[in-house]
Amino acid sequence: MSMDKTFDAASAEARISAEWEAKNAFAAGANAKPGAETFAMMMPPPNVTGSLHIGHALDNTLPDILARWHRMRGYDVLWQPGQDHAGIATQMVVERKMAEAGEPGRREIGREAFVEKVWNWKQESGDTIMNQLRRLGASCDWSRNAFTMSGAPSAPEGEQGNFHDAVLKVFVDLYNKGIIYRGKRLVNWDPHFETAISDLEVENRDTPGHMWHFKYPLAGGETYEYVERDEDGNVTLRETRDYISIATTRPETMLGDGAVAVHPDDARYAPIVGKLCEIPVGPKEHRRLIPIITDEYPDPDFGSGAVKITGAHDFNDYGVATRNNIPLYALMDTKGAMRVDGLSYEESAEIATRAANGEDVGDVSNVNLVPEQLRGLDRFEARKQVIDEITAEGLAVTDAEGAAVVEAKKIMQPFGDRSGVVIEPMLTNQWFVDTQRIVGPALDAVRDGRTQILPDQHRKVYEHWLENIEPWTISRQLWWGHQIPVWYGLDLEMRGFTDDEGDGALDEVELLELLIDGLVQRGDYHHAAPHFEDVIEKFRDDIAGLPQPLEVSRVVEVADRDEAVDVFSRSLAEYNLSQDPTKLVYPVWRDPDVLDTWFSSGLWPIGTLGWPEDTPEMRKYFPTDVLVTGFDIIFFWVARMMMMQLEVVGDVPFHTVYVHGLVRDEKGAKMSKSKGNVIDPLTLVDEYGADALRFTLTSMAAMGRDPKLGPKHVEANRNFVTKIWNATRFAEMNGVRGGSDRPNPSHTVNRWIISEVARATQATNEALETYRFNDAANGLYAFVWGKVCDWYVEFAKPLFDGEYADETRATMGWVLDQCYTLLHPIMPFVTEELWSLTGDRKSMLIHGDWPELGRDVIDADADRQMNWVIQLIENIRSARAQMGVPAGARIDLIVTEADSNARAALAANAPLIERLARVNAPQDGTAGKGMIAVSAPGASFALPIGDVIDVTAETARLEKNAAKTGKDAEGLRKRLDNPKFVENADFEVIEETRQKLADLDEDLARINAALTQLKAM
């Protein structure tokens, strides 16, 4: 069948994709040779809510190249695909859709019904990105597509698996080792989603804000001499003060201050350290006092040098408060509004005052220091009222004109990366991983080379983060996710209890005592296990000390603690009336929180291979070989996988981590919707084809560099697709077919191109082995377009007639086959199509044999001769263009000097040189007036051009070009000589500038050389 004039990417891609999948071409082990080595990779699981963006396109093109390359070489390849359940993102999407449809919210319908809705949404819309990856050509084993919530109790049919079991097992095991623990700590709290989030999910932004300066009056009207000095110790200000000044960007948090801290070396405040000062807000009759303390945290040179300490609402303050035993007073609820619960302000202020005087007041979680009139207000509305009250009372610091000092300034403010709302540091009970217990092996594995991180700059980032790691908050106050496998029970603590009458019966007074003492004052037991049935006996052991004849007949599961108190109270009352032991039940309830998405995805390598079961896949493919990922999830995911796998199964999850750059726009700017420079990869695929996009991304994927992508780049590589297609059509029209073994030709041209194929194969292998994807792509571009489609096609044209016709057809067919094969990992669609159209094949190209061509294939004589011819033709063409010789003009070629090798090459290839360089038959002679010189190895030539160009006009043109090029080069040189530019510019910008300067210098040298020749004419 004759080829179409052009390659129809849209129809071919869909057809070829369907055929690949129909033949299970991507299945683990497909095309593997007997006893083959394995090659395994894990796809970084995109969020189930996701759709393909340009980062995904790069993130999946590069591993697909590795998968196809290894598969064609006969390796047993597994590229494992899958998706992450994406707790916050998915819950947000489903809740938004419910709101848009006018449906009741999740709290109205309840947890079970809401989770069912999420599963329904996942089955209807959750595979969007996976189908888009198929369009890109990702050759994953789609039959093994995994999901981080597979096997969860509520999972519908089709979502079976044991990933959920693996997650629960790891949690329970780490809990039993003491690596996972529950604690009350300050965490990042997202008031929109009402959940804790990790530091990595916080986006810090420079935001317009204000700094307010307030006076904290000293207790009892006490005064001190405040003195400021310059660097030489000279007094610059001396005055008597009855206050200490603080500055804050969040005045609403003043309500929860526990102290004011100053640096121990700050002489200005030495007279008042240890004294009390008054918080300048709140009811005057209950105005409370806090101590002035010393700590290393305050910076004497920043602001007033005094810092208010609100330990429950600031991470730095939390450290100061815990070091100095300052109570942590929580001010806000889960929505970021001022608290309405707890004790009255009067009672709370009294307890806080006792604490300020050094008394141990115990647990202060019930203390609410929000004045009654501010309770229930949004935090930012409360801020306004606090400022107004302080200012009205005259306790704002004022300037010389008496105006309150308020600095308008940029402040670094934390926002939730999903919600976009301001994050509030909150003191809450959460589950944590004690990362210090598991971080060591993850650092050692990289330092001793068991896992290599490329490029090296990212290894340093990985190590720095792990060396400074904080406890990992793994609980999230969401409904979509792996519910934490911990159950709680009431701590009855009744050992030694005897009823007043000693008859074993509980009267109403005794029952009340029990309820108050056992259910209110004490905490709760808790146990971790994969299932409720696994904790029953543990709770029976906890309550074994019930007084006789009390004995719990059943342990039952209830919704929450309130229901547990109610159920136990009723069952105890029924038992007291009936003395029937079957009436007494002990209720327990499950932790309502779910695990951080990154906890479950941290188990991705083993969870997708069937662990904790001893599966053939686990034995065969773990540890995996390569992880290709973006720099932005080194902390989120890579480091956590390293810690988790080493702790859980004692081995690294992968041997190599290749970290690619961030795809930027063609000007180097980060893509963002607000800038309007986001590039949709599917739009590019629709317009130019997947192959063109894939090749563009690969050619730009230089290690350690951010690709700069624009549609024009993809369009240029669509032209490369067209070039290959047209070369194949030319071959077809000349009777060329593929599918044969490597020929053994006699003609120099054919021997030369086989050598070039061998060189290209070796270079491609070396590039891919070292993850130099751009070198592989650019090398193949130069080989296929330059050596094959241009030079070889031109050299072969005259050979199709005559004695070398058959060997040339055989050679060209074999060469094009090698081109398709070498390009296939990067450009799979067009190469698969060309493979099917050009020969009788035993298999699709995806399962074709990768070339095995050693250096012995290279024919040194043919290689030297044809590369000499190419260099001569290129030099003549370059000189013609530089001097403005008309393209159609045929000029003489004067041989002024040539050694034996050069003469042999010239004699053997004169017709090619004449045709392609537009010159007459070479003749010996000497250089003279009106001639310019060109050269090739071992030979010199002269081109008489004086009669075909206007020397004066060409000289003027080149002088103008030289002036402009020199000016441009000088501008770049000055920029590079500027220390500020070198210090502040990005590495990429500096390197790009240096390259531009080198190119301009090279151009200028060529122009000046041409001018010298023109002047000599």
Side-chain angles (χ1 to χ4, degrees):
M1 167 174 92
S2 63
M3 292 174 59
D4 292 337
K5 189 174 182 180
T6 58
F7 174 56
D8 183 356
S11 64
E13 287 169 5
R15 171 171 41 78
I16 292 168
S17 287
E19 189 174 357
W20 281 333
E21 294 203 38
K23 293 183 176 179
N24 291 322
F26 308 153
N31 202 46
K33 295 176 181 177
E37 283 185 60
T38 60
F39 181 79
M41 296 184 296
M42 294 284 149
M43 173 189 286
N47 286 353
V48 70
T49 58
S51 59
L52 193 71
H53 59 61
I54 201 68
H56 289 132
L58 177 63
D59 212 29
N60 286 276
T61 294
L62 301 184
D64 188 55
I65 291 168
L66 295 176
R68 289 175 182 271
W69 178 52
H70 281 85
R71 197 181 288 119
M72 295 173 84
R73 294 160 72 204
Y75 281 70
D76 182 341
V77 174
L78 166 64
W79 184 16
Q80 173 65 52
Q83 293 164 282
D84 192 281
H85 65 276
I88 289 180
T90 306
Q91 187 158 315
M92 176 175 71
V93 166
V94 175
E95 286 196 79
R96 186 173 63 234
K97 288 188 174 297
M98 291 166 63
E100 289 170 355
E103 298 175 4
R106 68 179 171 96
R107 297 191 187 281
E108 286 88 344
I109 66 173
R111 183 173 194 146
E112 187 175 339
F114 177 73
V115 170
E116 183 180 352
K117 276 188 172 292
V118 179
W119 275 114
N120 290 339
W121 173 87
K122 191 267 177 186
Q123 293 193 299
E124 292 169 7
S125 307
D127 288 333
T128 297
I129 191 169
M130 307 314 269
N131 293 327
Q132 292 170 333
L133 288 172
R134 283 175 160 93
R135 285 197 62 192
L136 193 67
S139 62
C140 315
D141 185 348
W142 296 107
S143 69
R144 294 181 51 82
N145 196 38
F147 185 48
T148 53
M149 281 285 285
S150 67
S154 52
E157 188 175 349
E159 297 289 353
Q160 296 90 348
N162 69 341
F163 206 101
H164 178 70
D165 294 340
V167 172
L168 297 195
K169 175 175 172 51
V170 169
F171 181 96
V172 173
D173 288 350
L174 296 185
Y175 168 88
N176 289 333
K177 292 177 181 178
I179 294 172
I180 287 179
Y181 65 93
R182 185 167 173 79
K184 195 167 191 176
R185 292 172 57 98
L186 207 61
V187 298
N188 296 298
W189 187 264
D190 189 314
H192 175 78
F193 291 116
E194 296 183 71
T195 182
I197 60 175
S198 75
D199 292 345
L200 302 174
E201 295 164 287
V202 175
E203 188 178 290
N204 291 300
R205 304 180 201 158
D206 261 340
T207 309
H210 295 86
M211 178 82 80
W212 289 270
H213 296 257
F214 298 125
K215 298 176 181 179
Y216 281 44
L218 298 182
E222 196 167 341
T223 62
Y224 68 107
E225 187 175 44
Y226 177 83
V227 179
E228 288 186 359
R229 300 177 185 274
D230 62 20
E231 293 178 355
D232 298 322
N234 301 312
V235 175
T236 57
L237 174 67
R238 185 191 301 271
E239 64 183 15
T240 299
R241 287 186 176 179
D242 61 356
Y243 66 89
I244 185 169
S245 170
I246 65 93
T248 180
T249 60
R250 299 199 300 155
E252 70 279 7
T253 64
M254 293 168 62
L255 300 165
D257 287 353
V260 169
V262 297
H263 195 277
D265 298 334
D266 195 335
R268 294 172 296 177
Y269 302 115
I272 57 173
V273 169
K275 298 185 181 296
L276 299 176
C277 62
E278 181 182 285
I279 296 179
V281 67
K284 195 69 176 171
E285 64 274 21
H286 302 303
R287 191 65 57 85
R288 66 187 185 88
L289 303 175
I290 56 175
I292 299 170
I293 65 171
T294 60
D295 192 90
E296 296 290 333
Y297 167 62
D299 180 357
D301 298 322
F302 182 78
S304 69
V307 180
K308 63 188 243 12
I309 302 303
T310 318
H313 289 279
D314 182 275
F315 286 100
N316 291 316
D317 292 4
Y318 177 78
V320 177
T322 51
R323 285 194 295 272
N324 293 277
N325 297 315
I326 304 298
L328 307 171
Y329 301 118
L331 299 172
M332 299 175 201
D333 64 18
T334 58
K335 293 181 181 293
M338 308 309 284
R339 286 175 58 189
V340 297
D341 65 324
L343 300 173
S344 68
Y345 184 81
E346 181 179 353
E347 293 172 293
S348 299
E350 187 272 328
I351 293 172
T353 299
R354 283 165 37 211
N357 287 314
E359 184 179 333
D360 183 2
V361 296
D363 183 11
V364 295
S365 56
N366 209 33
V367 170
N368 184 350
L369 291 171
V370 179
E372 313 294 346
Q373 76 275 14
L374 300 181
R375 295 188 177 191
L377 290 181
D378 175 79
R379 53 188 164 157
F380 300 118
E381 181 58 36
R383 174 182 297 178
K384 296 175 186 174
Q385 294 204 27
V386 166
I387 294 168
D388 290 345
E389 288 182 25
I390 295 174
T391 305
E393 198 171 325
L395 291 176
V397 174
T398 55
D399 58 21
E401 284 75 37
V405 176
V406 182
E407 298 176 65
K409 60 182 297 182
K410 290 263 188 181
I411 58 173
M412 190 62 73
Q413 198 156 35
F415 291 83
D417 65 351
R418 294 283 181 188
S419 65
V421 304
V422 176
I423 294 303
E424 187 66 43
M426 292 275 270
L427 192 65
T428 59
N429 281 308
Q430 302 289 343
W431 288 96
F432 296 89
V433 172
D434 185 356
T435 43
Q436 287 297 331
R437 294 268 301 275
I438 62 174
V439 71
L443 280 165
D444 293 341
V446 170
R447 288 170 175 163
D448 64 26
R450 279 175 289 154
T451 293
Q452 183 182 26
I453 299 178
L454 300 172
D456 191 59
Q457 69 204 58
H458 294 298
R459 176 188 61 79
K460 294 173 182 175
V461 170
Y462 168 92
E463 290 180 353
H464 177 77
W465 188 72
L466 287 181
E467 286 165 352
N468 297 277
I469 198 167
E470 295 287 333
W472 174 13
T473 314
I474 58 170
S475 45
R476 298 289 182 268
Q477 289 64 54
L478 303 169
W479 285 357
W480 173 240
H482 299 279
Q483 191 171 354
I484 289 175
V486 172
W487 280 262
Y488 300 86
L490 303 167
D491 183 356
L492 304 178
E493 198 65 44
M494 295 188 294
R495 286 175 289 280
F497 174 85
T498 56
D499 62 280
D500 291 346
E501 297 176 6
D503 58 6
L506 296 167
D507 60 27
E508 291 180 2
V509 174
E510 292 168 335
L511 176 59
L512 184 60
E513 280 181 3
L514 174 68
L515 291 176
I516 292 173
D517 190 42
L519 307 185
V520 177
Q521 293 184 357
R522 293 186 176 89
D524 303 315
Y525 299 116
H526 67 261
H527 295 290
H531 308 99
F532 167 61
E533 294 76 16
D534 301 322
V535 298
I536 292 175
E537 290 306 315
K538 296 178 181 180
F539 281 114
R540 284 191 176 279
D541 291 342
D542 289 334
I543 56 175
L546 284 171
Q548 294 298 318
L550 293 182
E551 183 177 349
V552 168
S553 63
R554 288 176 297 131
V555 176
V556 298
E557 187 173 16
V558 297
D560 52 33
R561 193 180 199 280
D562 290 341
E563 186 178 346
V565 172
D566 182 58
V567 167
F568 184 74
S569 301
R570 284 190 282 106
S571 78
L572 192 57
E574 289 179 23
Y575 170 80
N576 191 41
L577 293 172
S578 66
Q579 296 296 301
D580 180 354
T582 64
K583 299 294 186 183
L584 191 59
V585 299
Y586 182 75
V588 300
W589 65 99
R590 189 170 181 175
D591 195 308
D593 292 350
V594 300
L595 287 164
D596 175 17
T597 297
W598 296 102
F599 183 89
S600 50
S601 61
L603 301 171
W604 188 243
I606 57 174
T608 55
L609 295 174
W611 186 90
E613 303 300 325
D614 181 20
T615 64
E617 292 84 357
M618 186 70 188
R619 292 194 300 272
K620 180 187 286 190
Y621 296 114
F622 187 86
T624 65
D625 292 275
V626 182
L627 175 70
V628 177
T629 190
F631 70 91
D632 52 334
I633 57 173
I634 292 176
F635 315 130
F636 278 112
W637 194 47
V638 176
R640 287 167 174 171
M641 278 192 290
M642 289 287 283
M643 289 190 291
M644 297 281 271
Q645 259 70 198
L646 283 161
E647 175 60 33
V648 174
V649 295
D651 207 344
V652 295
F654 23 69
H655 296 308
T656 302
V657 180
Y658 175 83
V659 183
H660 60 72
L662 173 71
V663 184
R664 298 177 178 272
D665 72 12
E666 54 196 328
K667 295 180 180 177
K670 187 176 180 179
M671 293 185 194
S672 71
K673 291 180 180 177
S674 60
K675 291 180 181 177
N677 63 346
V678 173
I679 295 176
D680 182 348
L682 294 178
T683 299
L684 296 175
V685 169
D686 289 339
E687 188 164 357
Y688 304 113
D691 291 316
L693 175 60
R694 287 171 60 110
F695 192 90
T696 304
L697 291 170
T698 308
S699 66
M700 293 178 168
M703 193 179 291
R705 303 286 294 272
D706 288 345
K708 297 176 183 176
L709 179 71
K712 66 181 182 183
H713 302 118
V714 186
E715 182 179 14
N717 286 312
R718 192 264 312 275
N719 296 340
F720 183 36
V721 173
T722 302
K723 186 77 171 180
I724 302 163
W725 187 266
N726 288 341
T728 304
R729 286 188 70 236
F730 166 81
E732 181 193 51
M733 288 186 289
N734 284 278
V736 173
R737 294 287 288 169
S740 300
D741 294 335
R742 174 163 59 92
N744 185 25
S746 58
H747 195 283
T748 307
V749 165
N750 292 326
R751 295 186 351 251
W752 161 77
I753 196 61
I754 289 175
S755 298
E756 291 295 334
V757 171
R759 290 186 189 281
T761 301
Q762 291 165 20
T764 303
N765 285 335
E766 289 169 8
L768 293 180
E769 282 165 1
T770 52
Y771 308 101
R772 292 180 289 110
F773 295 98
N774 62 310
D775 287 347
N778 294 326
L780 286 172
Y781 184 94
F783 164 67
V784 175
W785 187 308
K787 295 294 174 68
V788 177
C789 296
D790 277 352
W791 290 112
Y792 181 57
V793 165
E794 288 299 325
F795 289 163
K797 283 179 180 177
L799 301 180
F800 282 126
D801 295 315
E803 62 179 308
Y804 299 107
D806 289 343
E807 77 164 48
T808 302
R809 289 189 179 90
T811 302
M812 185 172 286
W814 179 84
V815 167
L816 288 173
D817 277 0
Q818 308 319 300
C819 291
Y820 310 148
T821 305
L822 292 171
L823 283 170
H824 179 78
I826 305 174
M827 305 170 74
F829 293 105
V830 68
T831 53
E832 190 72 80
E833 183 80 335
L834 289 170
W835 182 261
S836 69
L837 292 173
T838 55
D840 299 321
R841 314 294 187 176
K842 61 184 179 182
S843 68
M844 297 184 76
L845 179 56
I846 190 171
H847 291 165
D849 294 329
W850 188 259
E852 294 183 8
L853 300 171
R855 298 198 65 81
D856 58 305
V857 177
I858 297 174
D859 186 319
D861 291 336
D863 199 44
R864 182 172 54 252
Q865 185 177 122
M866 295 314 301
N867 285 322
W868 184 92
V869 170
I870 289 171
Q871 186 172 345
L872 175 60
I873 294 170
E874 286 179 336
N875 289 348
I876 294 172
R877 286 175 171 177
S878 175
R880 291 174 62 116
Q882 189 81 66
M883 297 298 185
V885 175
R890 185 175 289 274
I891 56 179
D892 290 337
L893 179 63
I894 309 299
V895 184
T896 59
E897 185 180 347
D899 62 20
S900 59
N901 288 332
R903 288 195 177 277
L906 193 61
N909 299 281
L912 289 177
I913 297 168
E914 293 164 27
R915 182 165 59 89
L916 298 178
R918 300 290 294 169
V919 293
N920 296 318
Q923 53 185 300
D924 289 343
T926 57
K929 216 51 168 163
M931 297 185 186
I932 59 169
V934 294
S935 64
S940 299
F941 301 89
L943 300 177
I945 63 170
D947 294 335
V948 294
I949 66 167
D950 183 335
V951 175
T952 302
E954 289 302 320
T955 300
R957 178 179 66 82
L958 288 177
E959 285 176 342
K960 184 178 180 181
N961 285 350
K964 182 181 185 309
T965 304
K967 183 179 179 182
D968 292 345
E970 190 58 29
L972 294 180
R973 213 179 314 277
K974 285 180 180 178
R975 188 182 304 175
L976 289 168
D977 288 340
N978 184 343
K980 289 186 177 179
F981 172 75
V982 177
E983 288 171 14
N984 299 323
D986 291 340
F987 172 80
E988 281 191 354
V989 174
I990 295 171
E991 287 302 299
E992 188 175 335
T993 304
R994 285 177 176 151
Q995 186 58 53
K996 285 180 179 177
L997 176 59
D999 292 342
L1000 287 173
D1001 284 341
E1002 191 176 327
D1003 288 345
L1004 188 59
R1006 281 199 301 267
I1007 295 169
N1008 286 332
L1011 279 169
T1012 300
Q1013 293 217 62
L1014 282 174
K1015 288 173 183 175
M1017 290 173 63

